[in-house]
Every structure is written in structure tokens, then in C-alpha cells.
Amino acid sequence: MTDNYMNNAPVLKKPEAMVFDMDGTLFQTETLLLPAYHKLFDTLRAEGLYEGETPPEELILNSLGMLLDEIWRRVMPEASEAAHRRADELLLQLELEGLKNGSHALYPHVKETLQALHEQGVRLFVASNGLEDYVKGIAAAYEMVPIFEGLYSAGEYSTLSKVNLLEILLSKHDISNVWMVGDRSSDVEAGKKNGQTVIGCAYAGFGVNDELKGSDAIITDFTQLLTLYKNAE
């Protein structure tokens, strides 16, 4: 599969910068999320804000890339607004605790590949629909803050979609040519609606069929970004 993706990859235009989604692209979200998810529902039940069994893990895993409001409407549609807002607080708290104390992981070769791109003069950014402290916390936990020029999150900029978030990023840094790198349809939409190249990441497995439809190239291993960049014109 890997060879087919790369052999069929078009020759792309060399970008000024690359903008990365965080969950499912750089960070193996489930390694941090799932322990926090189960603790969250234990707490909601204890506080009387939720009844019944914890919803299936697949519901939240398949919601990654969405804004938190959308996630809770999908995961617990019958729950109150108070439960949804408490879930916001708990998820951030438990994930930040997990970053300090728990086991979690980037995808293979992420840090080395980002460092190599940085050394070649590529400007690197993150654009995530997550919360500000979560996105910055992951970058800090893996000592990656210095290689990123900016860490953009929906939480910090109060954006309604990743399209808006990428638009802000491009405007603030006066960039006209980037590769938007991500694993969800929201990343494809953000790149395309801002007139940019999209590199779809097909290794996380959170999305559904056609999740990456419209991508200019698809990678199945993060190191393939180096090959695409080397071959770009």
C-alpha cells in the first residue's frame, strides 16, 4: 500500500511552510485519550451529571478532529449542557495529568522528521481543533516547541472550523504556500478552502472511508513527508 501511494504521488510545489494537525497526525491520541475518557465518565456519574454505561470508545475516536461541542453532541447526545461543559473541563484536566504522569506516544519518526524539515528551512506550524493547553502541552511534553513557529488551536482563537484557523495562521504569518498535513476531512477542507496543498495521513485509522478524499498526496508513514518535500519542485 505504501509503495502505491508514493509511486502515484504527484510532483508538488515546494511549500514555504507545513501546517500539521495534532491528533491522529503527530500524536497517537488514543494513548492519552482513552484512559482519560473512562475516568471522565466515572467522574460525571459520581457528580450526578451522567447515568448509564460509558459510551463506546469508537464514538470518541471517530470524532477526533471535531470541535469539543460537536464531540460531546455525538458521544452523549442525551446529556445536559452542564454535563458537556463539565466534560470539557475534565477532559483537559485528565489529559494534562496524563501528559505528566501517563504513557503516551507520538507516531513513529515524527520528531526526527519534523527536525529534519526544520533544518531544511521549512517553517512548521500546528493547527488543531483542540484546546490551547492541550495542544501546547503535547508540544512541550516532547520538547518540540522550539521547532514550531506557531501552535494554533481552536481553543485559543475561538474558531468555528479549521478553515478559519488556517486562514488566521496564513494571514498572521504572511504565508501564501503551505502543505496542510492531517488525517481528517476537516484538514482536507481547511487546506482546500484556503487554496493550499493537502497531504493526507492514512496511518491513524480514525477516519471513515473517503475521509482523505481531495488530498493532493497521501502518506502511510510520516517519514514519507521528507520524500515528498525532496521531490517537490
Side-chain angles (χ1 to χ4, degrees):
M1 180 183 288
T2 300
D3 290 341
N4 288 340
Y5 275 133
M6 294 304 292
N7 290 341
N8 294 331
V11 176
L12 304 171
K13 182 179 178 183
K14 258 193 170 53
E16 300 171 61
M18 293 188 195
V19 181
F20 297 90
D21 173 48
M22 180 64 84
D23 291 323
T25 300
L26 304 180
F27 186 61
Q28 291 191 49
T29 315
E30 71 276 15
T31 61
L32 179 67
L33 173 62
L34 294 182
Y37 181 72
H38 290 285
K39 290 178 185 175
L40 181 154
F41 276 95
D42 289 343
T43 303
L44 289 180
R45 280 189 288 265
E47 294 178 354
L49 289 169
Y50 188 82
E51 295 181 357
E53 297 295 316
T54 299
E57 293 175 349
E58 290 73 20
L59 276 176
I60 194 157
L61 290 176
N62 290 332
S63 301
L64 293 175
M66 297 179 179
L67 298 169
L68 275 178
D69 279 352
E70 298 173 286
I71 289 175
W72 300 131
R73 285 199 296 271
R74 173 184 278 204
V75 170
M76 44 175 171
E78 306 303 321
S80 66
E81 183 70 17
H84 289 181
R85 299 290 70 78
R86 179 63 174 141
D88 289 346
E89 297 171 358
L90 285 170
L91 186 62
L92 179 60
Q93 174 192 324
L94 291 166
E95 287 186 324
L96 292 179
E97 288 174 5
L99 279 173
K100 292 179 182 176
N101 309 316
S103 60
H104 43 79
L106 299 173
Y107 284 99
H109 312 300
V110 160
K111 191 171 180 181
E112 308 94 290
T113 301
L114 291 174
Q115 187 64 48
L117 290 166
H118 178 64
E119 289 170 0
Q120 291 179 59
V122 184
R123 300 167 70 183
L124 305 178
F125 297 86
V126 166
S128 167
N129 275 338
L131 296 172
E132 177 183 3
D133 289 346
Y134 171 74
V135 172
K136 292 180 176 177
I138 293 170
Y142 289 95
E143 300 179 335
M144 296 192 300
V145 173
I147 63 176
F148 286 114
E149 193 171 329
L151 298 165
Y152 284 70
S153 63
E156 181 174 4
Y157 288 91
S158 300
T159 46
L160 297 177
S161 75
K162 193 167 286 188
V163 175
N164 306 129
L165 190 62
L166 183 57
E167 183 180 15
I168 291 168
L169 187 160
L170 295 172
S171 176
K172 281 192 71 170
H173 295 273
D174 193 26
I175 302 171
S176 59
N177 172 29
V178 306
W179 288 2
M180 179 69 223
V181 184
D183 70 308
R184 303 308 300 265
S185 57
S186 55
D187 300 306
V188 179
E189 179 189 35
K192 288 302 166 187
K193 287 195 173 177
N194 281 287
Q196 304 300 323
T197 298
V198 175
I199 311 299
C201 300
Y203 44 78
F206 295 139
V208 295
N209 292 337
D210 294 332
E211 186 81 30
L212 297 174
K213 186 176 181 181
S215 299
D216 296 283
I218 292 177
I219 60 174
T220 56
D221 181 292
F222 198 74
T223 58
Q224 291 169 355
L225 267 179
L226 291 171
T227 304
L228 286 175
Y229 182 73
K230 178 183 176 183
N231 293 337
E233 296 180 339

